[in-house]
Amino acid sequence: MVSHGRNRLCGSSEECMKRKRLMTVVAAAAGAALAVPQGNMGFLSAWISDRTVLTAQAEDLLGILIVKEDGEENESSPLQTEESVVVIGGEETEASEKASDGEGNEEGSEASVTGFARYDEILQLYLTGLNAGWDASEFDENGLCYLAGYLSSADELGYFLTDVDGDGTEELLVGQVSEEEYAYQGMFYDFYTIKEDGLVQAAVSAERGRYYLCTDGVVAYEGSSSAFCSANAFYTFTRAELELTESVLYDAWEDEENPYFYSITDVWEDHSTSISQEEAAALLNAHEYMEISYIALSEVEEELGAAETVSVLKLQAIEEVEAASVEAETITYKLENDPLSQSELNRLSYEMYQIWDDILNVLWGYLRESLPEEEMAALTEEEIAWITEKESAIAAAGAEFEGGTMQPYVENTTGAELTKERVYVLLEKLS
């Protein structure tokens, strides 16, 4: 056990203060998976054939997520629910430079897995999450499709490159690798493209809002908002956005006797054009889903080098240290600028020392979780030696004012500065 000089010990991160998680990008709640057979007609055809009521429930239905630069207006889309920025390594992605050969590859991309550094970063982040055992919420917090959290290894998730809109630049699809036919064959989790204004996440699937690529280049969507309301929509991919061409809505809440509706403007709210069951079936059968041959991430793991990325634990630690620094800087400003009595100076300096001591204990808990036993044992010895040195330095600083009203202030500020320095030393030991 290591005491950090304040009669406190943090044995694990759960015993320490917690702040909000870093990189929350897309809010998506995980519902129960729908086990509905999928063919050319999608899951709506299951209702058409036997009108079976689905019982699986989910808390949300994601729409289309379009990345835009700050200050740009985001044109509305029929299924769009919110704007999203993909974050890689804590920074917003920028537009990739294309080579002058017109083939859509980046300069110096010989070592790239996909030919685009931005696509590689997305795959690298997925690979990191799979290798680290992220759950659905952790993929979600990192701006990725949370469905990857239900997979167990990099053998099960892969990528596929294809020029969907025919503009010469390949799009990136991320999805589940499967050698056997299953309910969602051909579905993709994420759909990315690269345009002049940066990396665009054009669509992201959810359990009750899934996307497919059709053989004719159309993007199909299957969504369900309740057991009695579902939609199949079809989009063309143009100018980095999905544009609705037509849709079929099954809404037994609106009209139990005639629940099928056709629209070219609004997937979920347009009930103006009622169609028959046969017409709905014909429309759905007109689009055939592509069988996507995903390349498993495990096959390109070495090239991606995912081990070099920063772990979620360290990203969280960085955020917490930054938050502590802001709190401490606020106190420092008061100490240096406000007209304070000596007792107020003593109190505020103690609070500042406490801030850095608290975050030090948070980091110690993270280190206990992440470091191998031998490394942690060596670090514990180092920490004990540091505590001894710190306490000696505090005592020496206060000795000059021993018995005076300034002694607590000098000791607190000395302890705060030394502890702050140690915080950043420990932060670097997290990978």
Side-chain angles (χ1 to χ4, degrees):
M1 293 186 176
V2 177
S3 171
H4 289 103
R6 312 294 289 180
N7 297 320
R8 302 178 66 250
L9 174 68
C10 182
S12 70
S13 62
E14 294 180 354
E15 297 169 331
C16 306
M17 62 180 182
K18 292 290 186 180
R19 296 181 175 88
K20 65 180 180 179
R21 299 300 300 275
L22 185 64
M23 303 171 66
T24 301
V25 184
V26 185
L34 295 176
V36 182
Q38 181 270 318
N40 296 344
M41 294 169 62
F43 70 80
L44 182 54
S45 61
W47 278 307
I48 295 173
S49 60
D50 59 15
R51 306 289 295 277
T52 301
V53 176
L54 300 178
T55 58
Q57 298 297 319
E59 294 181 9
D60 77 309
L61 177 61
L62 290 186
I64 302 169
L65 301 173
I66 304 295
V67 176
K68 292 292 184 180
E69 296 292 332
D70 290 342
E72 289 189 22
E73 293 185 1
N74 190 18
E75 297 181 3
S76 61
S77 176
L79 294 181
Q80 187 169 331
T81 57
E82 60 180 288
E83 191 168 300
S84 170
V85 177
V86 177
V87 180
I88 304 295
E91 297 181 357
E92 294 181 13
T93 56
E94 299 176 355
S96 299
E97 295 295 331
K98 298 179 181 179
S100 58
D101 60 8
E103 296 299 322
N105 293 325
E106 291 182 326
E107 298 281 3
S109 63
E110 292 82 359
S112 172
V113 170
T114 64
F116 293 91
R118 300 307 181 218
Y119 289 168
D120 282 6
E121 289 172 347
I122 292 294
L123 299 182
Q124 186 181 63
L125 194 57
Y126 265 116
L127 181 58
T128 297
L130 289 167
N131 289 342
W134 288 358
D135 60 19
S137 65
E138 288 172 305
F139 278 100
D140 174 43
E141 289 165 3
N142 281 280
L144 305 175
C145 180
Y146 73 85
L147 297 176
Y150 301 137
L151 305 180
S152 58
S153 73
D155 294 326
E156 299 178 80
L157 191 71
Y159 72 96
F160 179 74
L161 296 170
T162 184
D163 185 1
V164 178
D165 57 1
D167 68 348
T169 298
E170 290 181 314
E171 277 67 50
L172 171 69
L173 274 64
V174 178
Q176 184 174 351
V177 177
S178 177
E179 296 180 356
E180 300 178 359
E181 187 172 345
Y182 73 115
Y184 308 128
Q185 187 74 35
M187 186 186 90
F188 59 80
Y189 285 4
D190 268 330
F191 177 8
Y192 296 92
T193 191
I194 292 176
K195 298 300 177 184
E196 293 77 5
D197 57 351
L199 180 71
V200 178
Q201 186 185 43
V204 57
S205 289
E207 282 166 312
R208 304 195 75 175
R210 304 183 300 276
Y211 288 93
Y212 300 80
L213 184 62
C214 298
T215 56
D216 56 3
V218 170
V219 175
Y221 171 83
E222 299 180 355
S224 175
S225 62
S226 74
F228 296 96
C229 184
S230 64
N232 280 50
F234 301 95
Y235 297 85
T236 54
F237 180 62
T238 307
R239 298 185 300 277
E241 296 187 11
L242 296 182
E243 298 182 354
L244 179 68
T245 56
E246 58 183 355
S247 64
V248 173
L249 173 65
Y250 173 89
D251 192 348
W253 295 114
E254 178 72 17
D255 189 335
E256 186 175 356
E257 297 298 324
N258 300 288
Y260 301 101
F261 302 91
Y262 177 82
S263 179
I264 59 173
T265 59
D266 192 306
V267 178
W268 296 99
E269 300 297 330
D270 185 2
H271 299 90
S272 60
T273 305
S274 178
I275 60 175
S276 68
Q277 176 177 314
E278 292 72 24
E279 288 173 319
L283 189 150
L284 298 178
N285 276 322
H287 300 280
E288 180 182 359
Y289 291 172
M290 178 186 295
E291 292 187 8
I292 302 174
S293 299
Y294 291 108
I295 299 173
L297 296 187
S298 58
E299 296 182 17
V300 293
E301 185 167 1
E302 184 175 347
E303 293 92 328
L304 288 173
E308 298 178 1
T309 61
V310 178
S311 69
V312 170
L313 190 64
K314 182 164 184 176
L315 290 172
Q316 181 175 337
I318 290 172
E319 185 197 27
E320 296 192 31
V321 169
E322 289 176 349
S325 179
V326 170
E327 291 182 43
E329 286 173 3
T330 300
I331 293 177
T332 298
Y333 180 86
K334 292 181 179 179
L335 291 173
E336 294 177 352
N337 296 280
D338 291 358
L340 303 171
S341 65
Q342 189 59 54
S343 62
E344 290 173 323
L345 289 169
N346 293 345
R347 176 180 58 80
L348 286 174
S349 63
Y350 174 83
E351 290 179 5
M352 183 167 61
Y353 188 4
Q354 191 72 46
I355 288 170
W356 289 113
D357 191 64
D358 284 343
I359 197 63
L360 185 69
N361 280 279
V362 169
L363 293 182
W364 192 254
Y366 288 161
L367 289 164
R368 285 176 62 90
E369 290 182 15
S370 61
L371 291 185
E373 186 175 344
E374 291 184 1
E375 289 185 33
M376 194 63 200
L379 183 60
T380 299
E381 292 183 7
E382 178 185 316
E383 194 73 1
I384 291 172
W386 172 79
I387 290 172
T388 301
E389 293 176 3
K390 180 195 70 170
E391 291 177 344
S392 296
I394 291 173
E400 185 178 350
F401 303 91
E402 187 172 358
T405 57
M406 282 192 63
Q407 183 179 1
Y409 173 79
V410 173
E411 291 179 345
N412 290 334
T413 53
T414 300
E417 185 61 32
L418 292 174
T419 305
K420 174 183 176 180
E421 293 174 1
R422 186 61 179 172
V423 161
Y424 286 99
V425 170
L426 294 184
L427 184 61
E428 288 302 312
K429 295 184 182 295
L430 277 172
S431 59

